[in-house]
Amino acid sequence: MDHAVSRLLAHERIRAARHHIERTDEVTLARQSALSAIPAPTGAEGRRAARVAELFREIGLTDVAMDHAGNVHGWFGRNGEKPTAPVVLAAHLDTVFGAEVDVAVERRGQRLEGPGISDNARGLAALVTVAEAMVAARVPATRPILFAATVGEEGSGDLRGVKYLLNGNHDVTPAAFIALDGAGLDRVIHRALGSKRYHVTFRGPGGHSWAAFGVANPANAVGRAAALLADLPTHHAPRTTCAVVRLGGGTGLNSIPQEAWLDLDLRSEDPRALAQLDVTVRAALERAADDENRRRTLGSPTLRVDIQLLGDRPSGMTPRAHPLVQAAVAANRALGRDAELASASTDANVPIALGIPAIALGAGGKAGDAHLATEWYENVEGALGIVRALLVAAAMADVAD
């Protein structure tokens, strides 16, 4: 694969595409700022999606469309025929910030500051630039490339966009899937960090904190559940975690609540470990309810537990020996950078779980304060990250000599 990537670097059309990326670096930054300044909370990505669709058309992608989920996609090298085994290059549209957050961007030299400026305005801008460079340089790709901007990648979105894109709603099965997510140049994410997220509610009769004392108390059950989950053994190989992330309930200082709740985030790189953790957690929740019920006043109503699944992100991996992973490692090496094979939760989780080779890459530069209002991006070797994406996509699209 090192030889193949080296050949690409010497390919006349790829050299022209690289030159385009480097020459238009300021244009990419301007697009990044402009896209970041369009609010795109998960579930409300429409305005940003519409702008990306405009950009796809302006740069020359064909058959640009928005699907029923809200994803935007356009083709390179399709030539009108029904595509077979395309390469997919994707970036997510949504941010973690609600509609009330001011997403204005400020620039200080090479530093851009604003909520979502890296995650994922950088990925979107890079997506557009790679497509523009391939169109401008007339890169002779044997496989067509589908450029996609997806909805619902963050938190409550539960990877909704990429699930729709790949789960039977298109007559294509990708040969490879590459997600552009955030900044960075070193990491090659080939292991999908899976998760299950639950909202757990304990319900009981409630009552006056003095007069009804002794009835099954949902707040007590939440406390018992949190303690049981905190005492679960920690597994490091594969790393598997269970975190209580939020809890609440009750209506007043002198009332036993009728409801109390907690939210859970279960994660693992290994689907079997995640499934086993899921069984263990459910058993702990039932035990917490049973323990509280055993202590209630005889004859009083029992407490019930309701477990609601909020998110289900699959896990798995693209083997490091796969040509897609090796192409990314070789691209890093060709650009003078070491590659760090890593794990994360990205749009690549879904294709990996479907058996489609997939990775996620940063789109160059440096960033910090992700998911905070103080998020920032610095354009240090930013163009190099986009060149890496070009090389990996070109390698998987089998660029002709």
Side-chain angles (χ1 to χ4, degrees):
M1 189 55 71
D2 281 328
H3 174 73
V5 171
S6 296
R7 178 182 61 81
L8 282 174
L9 278 172
H11 193 290
E12 179 183 6
R13 299 290 178 85
I14 296 297
R15 288 170 58 193
R18 177 177 183 173
H19 177 67
H20 180 92
I21 290 169
E22 293 169 343
R23 180 173 53 83
T24 61
D25 195 30
E26 282 296 324
V27 174
T28 299
L29 287 177
R31 285 180 182 145
Q32 182 178 344
S33 295
L35 288 169
S36 191
I38 302 173
T42 301
E45 303 96 337
R47 283 183 56 204
R48 187 177 287 185
R51 179 56 186 146
V52 171
E54 289 177 351
L55 288 170
F56 278 1
R57 293 186 181 99
E58 289 171 7
I59 65 175
L61 293 183
T62 61
D63 300 311
V64 176
M66 185 180 298
D67 64 28
H68 291 299
N71 302 313
V72 177
H73 33 75
W75 289 90
F76 172 76
R78 184 176 182 177
N79 298 323
E81 74 273 8
K82 181 178 178 180
T84 56
V87 174
V88 176
L89 193 64
H92 68 87
L93 288 157
D94 58 324
T95 73
V96 299
F97 304 100
E100 75 285 354
V101 175
D102 182 0
V103 291
V105 177
E106 293 187 13
R107 180 165 183 174
R108 295 179 174 86
Q110 290 290 78
R111 187 178 178 115
L112 303 175
E113 298 177 354
I117 188 62
S118 175
D119 185 11
N120 190 33
R122 180 61 187 177
L124 287 171
L127 182 74
V128 173
T129 297
V130 172
E132 183 179 45
M134 296 189 89
V135 171
R138 303 189 305 279
V139 172
T142 302
R143 294 185 186 278
I145 301 175
L146 179 65
F147 289 86
T150 60
V151 298
E153 191 273 347
E154 297 287 4
S156 61
D158 200 35
L159 306 179
R160 179 174 64 89
V162 71
K163 286 176 180 177
Y164 184 87
L165 187 69
L166 298 179
N167 283 334
N169 294 290
H170 295 267
D171 296 328
V172 295
T173 300
F177 184 103
I178 304 158
L180 299 179
D181 202 331
L185 185 56
D186 296 330
R187 295 206 308 164
V188 176
I189 297 166
H190 73 115
R191 303 192 305 276
L193 179 57
S195 65
K196 285 185 177 290
R197 287 154 179 173
Y198 290 108
H199 180 70
V200 182
T201 306
F202 293 92
R203 296 185 173 91
H208 194 282
S209 57
W210 170 263
F213 185 80
V215 300
N217 188 334
N220 288 351
V222 165
R224 296 183 195 282
L228 288 171
L229 296 174
D231 287 340
L232 292 179
T234 301
H235 296 282
H236 297 287
R239 189 181 179 205
T240 305
T241 63
C242 172
V244 177
V245 293
R246 293 193 303 179
L247 47 82
T251 58
L253 287 173
N254 59 349
S255 299
I256 295 171
Q258 291 181 302
E259 290 188 1
W261 56 269
L262 71 164
D263 287 347
L264 305 177
D265 186 0
L266 287 59
R267 298 191 182 222
S268 182
E269 297 175 0
D270 184 277
R272 290 170 296 183
L274 185 59
Q276 182 56 57
L277 176 63
D278 188 49
V279 171
T280 301
V281 166
R282 286 176 175 271
L285 296 171
E286 295 290 348
R287 179 182 166 187
D290 291 344
D291 286 349
E292 182 61 19
N293 281 330
R294 278 197 297 270
R295 289 165 172 80
R296 78 187 194 282
T297 300
L298 189 64
S300 63
T302 57
L303 176 147
R304 308 178 312 280
V305 59
D306 176 61
I307 304 173
Q308 179 186 4
L309 180 66
L310 298 180
D312 187 358
R313 295 174 176 239
S315 55
M317 66 181 295
T318 301
R320 63 174 60 202
H322 190 278
L324 174 59
V325 180
Q326 289 302 303
V329 171
N332 268 54
R333 189 177 295 118
L335 297 173
R337 299 297 296 262
D338 292 331
E340 174 193 348
L341 298 180
S343 167
S345 178
T346 70
D347 269 347
N349 284 41
V350 173
I352 286 174
L354 293 172
I356 298 167
I359 59 172
L361 302 172
K366 296 181 179 180
D369 290 355
H371 293 194
L372 298 176
T374 52
E375 187 173 351
W376 56 268
Y377 170 84
E378 287 185 359
N379 197 40
V380 179
E381 297 183 315
L384 209 58
I386 302 177
V387 171
R388 176 177 69 164
L390 166 71
L391 291 174
V392 178
M396 301 315 295
D398 192 18
V399 170
D401 291 326

